[in-house]
Amino acid sequence: MHFRLIGVGNTYTFELSDSALLSVGRAVTNDCTVVDPTISRKHADLRVTAGGVEVVDGGSSNGTFVNGVLIEKSLVVPGDEVKFGKVVFRLERVAPVQAAATGAPRGGATIVRQIPKAGDALALSGKSKIGDSLPGSDPAEKDRRRLAILLEVSKGLTRSADIEALLQKIAEYAFQVLEADRCAIQLTDEFGTLHPKISRDRRGERASSDIPQSISRMAVDDKVAVLSDDAADDQRFTGQSVMLQKVRSAMCVPLIGSDSHVLGVLYVDNFSLKRFNETDLDFLIAFSGIAAVALENGQLAERIRKEALARSNFERFFTPHLAARIASSPDAVKLGGDKRRVAILFSDIRGFTALSETMSPDAMATLLTEYFTEMVECVFRHGGTLDKFIGDCVMAQWGAPISEHDDCDRAMQSALDMMEELDRLNVRWRAENRPTLQIGIGLNVGDVFAGNIGSDRRLEYTVIGDPVNVSSRLCGAAAPGEILLSDQFRTSLGSPPPLESLPPMELKGKSQALPVFRVRR
């Protein structure tokens, strides 16, 4: 006798035949796997008899019911409803000629199989009947070829240089090992949303990237592999592309990383008379396990490359210590930016234009390189951020993206160090019969906009605001060897150097003159 358990309110279907004992449960090792939290790993046993199906509860947590009555053992006849936990089935009698052939689902059936834990994919492939789909009759030879294919897949995927190349390679191997007409891969973002990455046909041409959402979400949310051998009759395969392209059979498996995080889904389908079977599903599960490991490693390598590049870029403008803090704190530098209180320093060479006219380009480049090297070191030595070079001018700031309580004191000390380092450079240059330099420095503090400014082709982290303009004006007004600072900067110093007051400075756009102080050296 042959019977069929048909899901009521769900899409599970199981063919029952012979008198062998069949198990029902959540674990993948069961004959009838039902992935639901109310189902125990080994929930119940089934045995087909002449009059119906004998159901024996296996001590399940949420019980087994026949026609709404909790049972330990009962004979279920056609028309009865049996409920495992909260998953309901109806038993139907099937004529022998309608029963599914051994090893393949019936037309229109859907198989849902839980994915093994990480590391079990190869073990699963060894237990499955993958070799049966390969030509030849020697079982040992089939096993060798089966393992050889998976080994080649493993080697091939580890050689891919980047994510895009890796996805293309996964698709190529999928076509090699399965009689599929289309392969599509979607990857999840940080919120678990799936995004199409690749979709191609067997000829390598682009194909529709549509995957039935009900299937892809089931694969991601429940971490199960799904097989339908007749997608047109499966209510869950109702996507427009499936109907228009007359998809005959389809499989969808999740790509699960080492920490059980779903990286995406791998989907294959075909439009010919060829139908995928459980052997194909076993192979695809094993294949997806290898592909997921390669993909996870590729994503890790790409992330490391990006972080290394970001850190190297940070170190051009921040101290190595600050660059490390920023790289380890994703929220330290926000796209767009925010309002911050920063101390700003401008340092400018006096008479640079006239000097450059008397020097060759190579000599001037060498002189500026030596000068900028020492000035930047003075900024970094006191935890500052090099904002930019503006011609022969150095702009630095303290307070963004990470602030300290003594930002103004450190900016002040950096300015004093700049003057001392320049004095030492001038002594050496004079001894080498090379030109000497003089600089003026302006210091101010205030609330500014700090963030990434630019276009989508080039972003630059900088500070913008009136306090920046005031610092630049003070620098422009400073005589050679002078350090000028605003009164606001002076009152923010914890340990000010000797200062003297200067006449207030009239600034364009300011209604009142700006009190100015000069450092006595």
Side-chain angles (χ1 to χ4, degrees), residues 102-168:
T102 303
R106 66 175 182 84
T110 297
I111 294 177
V112 179
R113 180 168 298 166
Q114 195 166 28
I115 298 295
K117 294 181 180 179
D120 290 345
L122 285 175
L124 181 148
S125 67
K127 297 177 182 177
S128 67
K129 298 180 181 179
I130 298 173
D132 293 345
S133 62
L134 300 173
S137 58
D138 183 3
E141 176 62 22
K142 292 178 182 179
D143 286 342
R144 283 193 293 270
R145 295 191 61 186
R146 176 185 62 208
L147 294 176
I149 290 175
L150 291 177
L151 180 61
E152 182 62 28
V153 169
S154 179
K155 290 180 178 179
L157 293 183
T158 57
R159 289 194 292 263
S160 297
D162 54 47
I163 297 299
E164 184 63 29
L166 178 60
L167 296 179
Q168 293 287 351

Side-chain angles (χ1 to χ4, degrees), residues 65 75 159 198 285 393 406 450:
F65 301 80
L75 180 66
R159 289 194 292 263
I198 186 174
I285 290 173
C393 175
D406 58 345

Side-chain angles (χ1 to χ4, degrees), residues 253-506:
V253 297
L255 299 168
I256 302 178
S258 58
D259 60 351
S260 297
H261 173 68
V262 179
L263 307 175
V265 295
L266 173 61
Y267 173 87
V268 293
D269 59 23
N270 57 41
F271 320 125
S272 64
L273 294 178
K274 163 67 181 176
R275 288 176 172 175
F276 295 128
N277 56 34
E278 292 188 68
T279 294
D280 298 319
L281 185 63
D282 286 339
F283 204 128
L284 193 61
I285 290 173
F287 173 78
S288 68
I290 297 173
V293 171
L295 180 61
E296 187 174 46
N297 291 339
Q299 290 178 336
L300 176 61
E302 189 171 275
R303 187 162 59 249
I304 290 174
R305 285 195 298 268
K306 288 182 178 179
E307 289 177 357
L309 178 61
R311 181 163 179 169
S312 66
N313 286 334
F314 285 145
E315 289 181 351
R316 294 170 54 202
F317 304 102
F318 306 114
T319 67
H321 173 68
L322 185 57
R325 288 180 62 185
I326 295 171
S328 62
S329 176
D331 296 329
V333 179
K334 298 179 180 178
L335 286 175
D338 51 15
K339 185 178 180 180
R340 285 185 173 274
R341 181 175 176 81
V342 301
I344 307 109
L345 178 151
F346 274 84
S347 172
D348 189 44
I349 298 176
R350 294 295 173 257
F352 176 75
T353 301
L355 177 63
S356 63
E357 293 176 352
T358 66
M359 300 179 66
S360 68
D362 287 345
M364 176 56 67
T366 300
L367 190 74
L368 284 178
T369 298
E370 294 178 15
Y371 164 73
F372 281 135
T373 298
E374 296 301 327
M375 296 302 102
V376 171
E377 181 59 33
C378 292
V379 172
F380 284 179
R381 186 183 304 144
H382 298 285
T385 296
L386 174 64
D387 191 289
K388 62 174 67 72
F389 296 122
I390 310 172
D392 60 308
C393 175
V394 175
M395 175 183 170
Q397 54 90 3
W398 285 255
I402 298 176
S403 62
E404 303 289 350
H405 70 282
D406 58 345
D407 284 332
C408 287
D409 287 281
R410 290 184 294 116
M412 183 76 258
Q413 192 58 52
S414 179
L416 294 172
D417 282 4
M418 285 180 169
M419 290 297 185
E420 293 179 3
E421 289 296 336
L422 183 59
D423 288 343
R424 282 191 280 270
L425 283 173
N426 282 332
V427 170
R428 177 163 62 84
W429 289 337
R430 197 175 292 113
E432 297 171 353
N433 294 319
R434 298 167 66 189
T436 59
L437 301 177
Q438 294 295 327
I439 61 173
I441 296 177
L443 292 164
N444 189 30
V445 66
D447 293 334
V448 301
F449 169 87
N452 293 290
I453 302 297
S455 69
D456 56 357
R457 297 178 66 89
R458 185 177 187 275
L459 287 175
E460 181 180 79
Y461 189 83
T462 188
V463 294
I464 297 175
D466 183 64
V468 178
N469 299 333
V470 170
S471 179
S472 178
R473 299 283 181 82
L474 288 172
C475 177
E482 278 191 341
I483 301 175
L484 302 185
L485 53 143
S486 66
D487 185 49
Q488 190 172 10
F489 187 91
R490 179 187 66 86
T491 58
S492 299
L493 290 169
S495 302
L499 301 173
E500 58 181 296
S501 178
L502 298 180
M505 182 184 298
E506 298 287 343

